[in-house]
Amino acid sequence: MLPKPVTVSRRSCLIGTLGGTLALVFGRGGKKVIAATVPNGVEVDLGSDTEDLFAYIERTGGEFDATLYRQLLGACNEFKEGDESLGISAADQASRTSARALLANTRIADLESHPVFEDDLYKYIGQSVDTDAARQVADWTVGQLRAFLLQSDEADIKRIMPGLSSDTIACVVKLMTGEELIEVGAKVFNPLPGTQIGARGYMGARIQPNSPTDNVDDIRWQVLNGFSFAVGDVVLGTNPVSSEVQSVAAVEQTLADILQTFGLEDVLPHCVLAHVDVQAAVEEQLPGTTGEWFQSLAGVEDANHIFDISVEKMVRHARARTGKYGMYFETGQGADATNGHGKGFDMVMHESRKYGFARALKREVARAQQTAGRAPEPWVHVNDVAGFIGPEIFRNREQLVRCCLEDIVMGKLHGLTIGLDVCSTLHMEVDLDDLDWCIDQIMPACPAYLMALPTKNDPMLSYLTTGFQDHVRVREKFGYKVNDAMWQFFQQLGVIDDQGQPTEHFGQPAWVYLQYRRRKGDTRSDGEILTEARGQMDEVRARGVPLAVGHGANPWDLEPQLDRRLRQLYQDSKQCIWAELPKAFAVAHAVSVCSQSEDRRDYILHPPTGEVLDEVSLQKIQQLRDLHAGAYDVQIVVSDGLNALAITDEGHLAPYLESVRGALAEAGYKVAPEHVVARSGRVRLGYRVGEELFGALPQADSRRAVLHVIGERPGSGHHAFSVYITAASVSTWAQPGETDHNITKVVSGIADTALTPAKAADDSVEILKQLAPLA
């Protein structure tokens, strides 16, 4: 039975001047009622209990207004800083309630005839919507769809799901409370073919064995560590530091070796989260090396270009996936806006379109399998990285939970197997204990999987996420199970018994290493192999990669000493983030500049201010340009970034600059003698410096480069910096905003205790030779 429409009583609205901007709001009997974008948000006054979005727009403006339409849709969302920065968040709860009432009264067909933004991606994802199923819901209001999802069982919901567009799914989620999102999430499941991953009662894990230096021993030991806690059944997925083909191939081979040694190739895939083009190149050069293929996705085509992908490219890659394992996608609310492509509409709708992209590519994989003579059973899943960007998207734990619940439901309604990276950057207002609270609020919505590391702190990416012990706790508290085939393996491994209880080998990665060596045919005594294991583990820890051994009072408690170390690193991260370059800080031959950030807090909470030079600094760079007169190929820029201590620590910056200058000169590059030193500088500030220095030069085809040294990744304990290497033609530098992350390479994790400055200098120059070879 079709549910009744959902309506909300109208309210009286505020009248006044807010933040110096006039908010014109008249009563229902007055001349005009508008939604005004002011510093405090979008104000909405409901005309009647049955008014919908389009009647409201016509009543207040006389004709359709796309900007107002986007504002109203944004005003429906629960508050997040990312929507506020776009000027589309509700001014207050009353405005939010009124905007939701308008949306609830709006027919789905009317929404579909008024897309918030059209591009090639929108057209492509629309092709995956089933037209017959879409006709069944076309005359429903969004409020009726909400009621249907809450009142119906899984079978009935799945009958209409193919007819729901990404925009419609985003809109219905806006109307739901957190409790309602949990209710829907807990009754819709899309397991991966032939598994229980994503099935009712199951919650899996992607082991994320990241290394600050792509050291394959660091990676191997973290996988063995996860297995010792009976964790890891979705994918072994490493984020690489280097995107060079040979480096990615070495990590791929390490992960594949573990699976082959334990006979898990048909149970668990592996993946190196390099760009999809790099993964394809590895597979072409070393067939059979790669497992599942990965790519980050955005919600509009222009934002995808920042990732150096397009619809055409992704379709081509999807059609190459004919084996058992298909594709692994990552998304996250706010990525489009922070890359300058918010297009005026809200983060929830951007995120939903990413799931639409994944749904469409999943169909491509299914067709590819069928064409290759296999059953169309696409192993395709999505990981929502909620919280990775920072406080400019959402600042606190409540917003993080809301984001995760929204994304779980949107992913499930797209028919996807969706997992979560319930995470926090270290400059957000979410700490280690807050993450436990967030996980407990989210788990009843039944995500397919979470990330899994030895501790909550990623040693390479330096952000907070879920550790192995969190999985043990969640399984105990919520009764979740692990994919059956992997659970049987963990029992055979001896870390859990027939009843699923921990054995004496639980949490003992050295024991897992012993089994690994035995399956390799190693005939040495147990004692010899275990001694070797302990020595290798010490070496891994010495590189700043923690390994979890044993546990505290409960099997889900982190070992006390390691817990103390984790909390020390967290406190150190706060010092790194808030540290500033001292006034006495000096670099030889330096031109000192500043971004437009007013202070450190402004820099952290409003990243765009750190991407642009202030007026005085702009003049300094222009004077430097005139002084150089095009004589130099390379400009070195140094910024504090999110970790000024990475720049000021002894043995970091000075040896890098000395080494890289020598290597550049030896390679034949002409390096500007002055260093540009920026306070409160972000990565894009380096691009702006390059535009000013090189954009007006007469040699349009010549290539010029910026090496941007910037403090990053607080929380690792290394105080590491990165170098962003950007080389482009003068004609490209001449186009403001054209030079961006998609043409930049990075060397990360540079410190005297990690990737040494001298080695990083050599790597930087080798990359520059590829980007800007000398004649």
Side-chain angles (χ1 to χ4, degrees), residues 502-668:
T503 70
E504 69 273 20
H505 304 303
F506 183 81
Q508 300 296 326
W511 167 261
V512 181
Y513 180 75
L514 174 61
Q515 311 315 305
Y516 170 78
R517 293 305 312 170
R518 288 285 179 247
R519 299 203 184 201
K520 287 282 191 183
D522 195 329
T523 59
R524 289 177 295 166
S525 70
D526 288 2
E528 289 177 290
I529 295 174
L530 291 173
T531 297
E532 178 180 79
R534 287 188 286 269
Q536 290 187 15
M537 292 169 66
D538 288 342
E539 292 172 0
V540 170
R541 292 186 178 111
R543 289 190 288 269
V545 177
L547 295 174
V549 176
H551 51 78
N554 301 300
W556 53 86
D557 292 336
L558 197 62
E559 190 273 325
Q561 184 176 351
L562 185 56
D563 183 67
R564 286 193 295 272
R565 174 59 177 161
L566 176 62
R567 294 179 185 277
Q568 289 169 358
L569 288 173
Y570 179 79
Q571 293 304 318
D572 179 70
S573 76
K574 294 303 183 184
Q575 294 179 24
C576 293
I577 288 165
W578 291 99
E580 300 183 60
L581 291 177
K583 292 182 179 179
F585 177 75
V587 175
H589 307 294
V591 175
S592 296
V593 299
C594 296
S595 73
Q596 293 183 359
S597 299
E598 295 179 1
D599 52 29
R600 194 65 180 169
R601 182 173 180 80
D602 186 37
Y603 172 77
I604 290 170
L605 297 183
H606 305 107
T609 65
E611 298 177 348
V612 185
L613 292 164
D614 67 15
E615 189 59 35
V616 172
S617 298
L618 182 62
Q619 292 174 10
K620 287 184 178 181
I621 297 301
Q622 291 169 344
Q623 292 168 1
L624 190 64
R625 172 198 64 199
D626 296 341
L627 177 66
H628 288 172
Y632 301 108
D633 304 315
V634 180
Q635 176 65 56
I636 297 176
V637 178
V638 179
S639 295
D640 47 7
L642 282 173
N643 192 350
L645 299 183
I647 303 300
T648 60
D649 277 4
E650 186 176 354
H652 282 201
L653 181 62
Y656 175 79
L657 293 179
E658 181 180 356
S659 297
V660 80
R661 281 187 166 278
L664 287 167
E666 185 177 350

Side-chain angles (χ1 to χ4, degrees), residues 104-178:
N105 293 333
T106 302
R107 290 171 66 248
I108 291 173
D110 293 334
L111 284 175
E112 296 301 328
S113 64
H114 294 83
V116 297
F117 180 76
E118 294 183 83
D119 61 2
D120 288 343
L121 177 60
Y122 172 77
K123 295 172 185 175
Y124 174 67
I125 66 177
Q127 297 170 11
S128 65
V129 176
D130 184 276
T131 55
D132 291 334
R135 278 193 290 269
Q136 296 178 39
V137 300
D139 288 330
W140 293 10
T141 65
V142 181
Q144 288 174 321
L145 175 60
R146 167 187 166 273
F148 176 84
L149 295 173
L150 293 171
Q151 297 167 8
S152 303
D153 61 18
E154 182 181 29
D156 287 340
I157 292 172
K158 285 197 167 183
R159 274 193 282 272
I160 69 160
M161 274 170 37
L164 300 179
S165 73
S166 297
D167 287 7
T168 295
I169 290 172
C171 285
V172 74
V173 162
K174 294 170 186 283
L175 300 183
M176 293 184 183
T177 66

Side-chain angles (χ1 to χ4, degrees), residues 223-241:
V223 174
L224 302 181
N225 198 175
F227 285 175
S228 75
F229 286 99
V231 170
D233 59 340
V234 178
V235 61
L236 307 180
T238 300
N239 297 87
V241 176

Side-chain angles (χ1 to χ4, degrees), residues 19-229:
T21 303
L22 187 62
L24 299 174
V25 186
F26 301 86
R28 274 198 306 153
K31 302 173 183 178
K32 189 174 185 181
V33 182
I34 66 170
T37 302
V38 294
N40 287 0
V42 179
E43 295 188 351
V44 186
D45 181 47
L46 189 63
S48 72
D49 289 350
T50 59
E51 189 171 41
D52 70 5
L53 285 171
F54 302 104
Y56 180 91
I57 293 171
E58 183 176 356
R59 174 172 66 83
T60 58
E63 61 184 4
F64 180 72
D65 182 334
T67 299
L68 176 55
Y69 179 42
R70 292 166 182 164
Q71 291 172 354
L72 292 171
L73 288 172
C76 294
N77 290 333
E78 286 293 311
F79 176 78
K80 302 189 190 88
E81 275 77 13
D83 287 337
E84 181 183 50
S85 66
L86 292 173
I88 56 174
S89 62
D92 49 40
Q93 188 58 42
S95 290
R96 183 173 294 109
T97 298
S98 292
R100 287 175 173 172
L102 295 172
L103 178 58
N105 293 333
T106 302
R107 290 171 66 248
I108 291 173
D110 293 334
L111 284 175
E112 296 301 328
S113 64
H114 294 83
V116 297
F117 180 76
E118 294 183 83
D119 61 2
D120 288 343
L121 177 60
Y122 172 77
K123 295 172 185 175
Y124 174 67
I125 66 177
Q127 297 170 11
S128 65
V129 176
D130 184 276
T131 55
D132 291 334
R135 278 193 290 269
Q136 296 178 39
V137 300
D139 288 330
W140 293 10
T141 65
V142 181
Q144 288 174 321
L145 175 60
R146 167 187 166 273
F148 176 84
L149 295 173
L150 293 171
Q151 297 167 8
S152 303
D153 61 18
E154 182 181 29
D156 287 340
I157 292 172
K158 285 197 167 183
R159 274 193 282 272
I160 69 160
M161 274 170 37
L164 300 179
S165 73
S166 297
D167 287 7
T168 295
I169 290 172
C171 285
V172 74
V173 162
K174 294 170 186 283
L175 300 183
M176 293 184 183
T177 66
E179 292 76 12
E180 289 170 343
L181 291 168
I182 289 171
E183 185 177 343
V184 176
K187 62 180 174 181
V188 177
F189 298 89
N190 307 301
L192 290 177
T195 78
Q196 293 79 40
I197 297 170
R200 189 183 304 274
Y202 288 79
M203 200 279 295
R206 167 199 155 188
I207 294 184
Q208 185 169 297
N210 292 344
S211 166
T213 57
D214 284 342
N215 186 293
V216 294
D217 289 332
D218 295 351
I219 292 164
R220 180 184 298 107
W221 270 103
Q222 289 178 83
V223 174
L224 302 181
N225 198 175
F227 285 175
S228 75
F229 286 99

Side-chain angles (χ1 to χ4, degrees), residues 222 250 259 265 314 335 353 531 553 707 734 766:
Q222 289 178 83
L259 297 174
E265 307 100 307
M314 290 309 300
R353 288 188 175 195
T531 297
L707 268 61
E766 288 304 311

